[in-house]
Amino acid sequence: MLYQLENEKAVLTVETRACEIARFRRKDKDIEYMWNGDPKYWSNRNPVLFPHVSSPADKILYFKGEEHRVNNHGVCRKAEFTFREKGNDFLLFELEDSEETYAQYPYHFHLEVRYTLQGSRVKIEYRIRNDKEEKLVFGFGLHPAFNCPLDRKKAFSDYRVEFDQEDVEGKVLPLNYELFEKYPTYVIHEPKSHMYRLTDGENEVVLETEEGFHIFALWTPKAPFVCLEPWVNTLDDEPGIRDFESAKGNIILNAGEEYRIAYRISIG
């Protein structure tokens, strides 16, 4: 099901399946900024990566010493979230453990996602809560995909990603498909930047991250979109890992504790 927020500058549409942004556009431009999920290339659009980023090639992980078959990037990509509340400028969704999630990830959890539309910028906040007695162990990341080119008259190679700190040479990473042949996923560990601008010099998407993200990645399957991905951690840092609870960078919540993290997407 689709839910919408609108103000004088922009319209945001969120789908309960995977709690993804289905559309995000400005009222003064004929541009669709978000990837549409065309399964020819990649059927997701901007999924939540929980409780892990990536997965072993054979999709087998051990939780609490027992073998579980998992989906790549966790349980949220194919989950149906519950719509909880709408205000003048926000939408609130939630996901709790179920038989389906428990088969892949044998923990109880409560995950909330809140979208707040502020002009042509959306703030996306995540809240993960442990309501049970046992510890809750998880990783976390985000995977937003943006059309590239934004302007249909231009090409992928007309775009660049600008960083606000010197994480790449000259703070600018030119985009071309050859880059992703060399680096299928372009990964920066412990980036100094908190702002990443996808631009052709006229149109742009700006992604702003809050504290807590330790990795920034870019990915495209040589398609007309690019993903700008802030992650807390990733299983890719430990090839061959099986014991999920021992993965580096995992977040651990004791009973009654909660975890919060957020980022922003602006379109221009």
Side-chain angles (χ1 to χ4, degrees):
M1 187 172 292
L2 299 173
Y3 292 87
Q4 185 170 290
L5 289 173
E6 182 174 355
N7 60 26
E8 70 282 358
K9 291 187 176 181
V11 179
L12 174 78
T13 306
V14 180
E15 185 173 4
T16 50
R17 181 187 179 277
C19 200
E20 292 184 312
I21 301 175
R23 301 191 69 187
F24 191 21
R25 61 180 178 83
R26 292 174 61 104
K27 291 185 174 180
D28 60 350
K29 289 189 176 184
D30 183 23
I31 293 176
E32 184 56 62
Y33 291 83
M34 306 303 300
W35 170 241
N36 63 14
D38 183 348
K40 176 181 176 181
Y41 297 104
W42 187 56
S43 60
N44 274 113
R45 291 174 289 205
N46 38 89
V48 182
L49 312 185
F50 170 88
H52 50 84
V53 177
S54 190
S55 65
D58 62 2
K59 308 299 186 235
I60 298 296
L61 281 172
Y62 284 81
F63 298 89
K64 306 176 186 179
E66 296 184 352
E67 180 181 299
H68 290 261
R69 179 165 293 277
V70 300
N71 290 327
N72 194 37
H73 295 315
V75 302
C76 293
R77 291 175 58 229
K78 299 181 180 181
E80 183 72 18
F81 281 65
T82 299
F83 169 72
R84 201 173 97 182
E85 188 178 356
K86 179 178 180 178
N88 290 333
D89 63 351
F90 76 89
L91 296 168
L92 181 62
F93 302 85
E94 65 183 13
L95 180 69
E96 294 187 328
D97 56 275
S98 63
E99 288 186 11
E100 184 177 358
T101 67
Y102 206 79
Q104 299 180 54
Y105 175 60
Y107 283 92
H108 299 287
F109 66 88
H110 180 91
L111 167 63
E112 293 183 358
V113 184
R114 182 186 182 102
Y115 290 90
T116 304
L117 185 62
Q118 305 159 324
S120 56
R121 180 174 71 175
V122 59
K123 181 178 182 181
I124 312 168
E125 301 168 273
Y126 302 88
R127 179 188 179 207
I128 299 167
R129 194 173 70 235
N130 181 11
D131 294 330
K132 302 297 181 180
E133 289 301 317
E134 72 170 343
K135 291 182 179 180
L136 176 61
V137 183
F138 59 93
F140 190 82
L142 301 165
H143 204 311
F146 305 101
N147 284 326
C148 189
L150 297 168
D151 183 339
R152 292 185 291 270
K153 300 188 291 295
K154 296 187 177 183
F156 186 90
S157 57
D158 292 324
Y159 286 76
R160 60 188 182 271
V161 177
E162 298 175 352
F163 294 69
D164 68 342
Q165 301 293 326
E166 199 79 23
D167 290 309
V168 295
E169 185 176 355
K171 301 183 183 179
V172 175
L173 182 67
L175 294 183
N176 54 72
Y177 290 133
E178 290 75 18
L179 174 70
F180 295 97
E181 289 176 357
K182 185 176 182 181
Y183 305 102
T185 302
Y186 189 95
V187 178
I188 299 171
H189 286 82
E190 299 298 341
K192 300 179 183 68
S193 297
H194 288 281
M195 182 178 294
Y196 309 89
R197 187 184 309 273
L198 171 67
T199 182
D200 59 10
E202 298 178 36
N203 305 295
E204 65 181 26
V205 172
V206 179
L207 188 149
E208 300 171 78
T209 59
E210 295 188 356
E211 295 293 335
F213 292 105
H214 300 291
I215 303 170
F216 180 73
L218 296 97
W219 174 77
T220 181
K222 298 180 69 174
F225 69 86
V226 65
C227 294
L228 308 182
E229 306 180 40
W231 302 340
V232 173
N233 66 342
T234 175
L235 297 178
D236 286 340
D237 283 346
E238 300 176 89
I241 188 169
R242 293 294 184 183
D243 178 19
F244 176 79
E245 281 88 358
S246 67
K248 296 177 182 176
N250 272 343
I251 300 148
I252 301 175
L253 297 182
N254 293 313
E257 293 182 338
E258 66 177 32
Y259 173 80
R260 293 176 181 260
I261 199 164
Y263 79 126
R264 296 172 175 83
I265 299 171
S266 303
I267 53 176

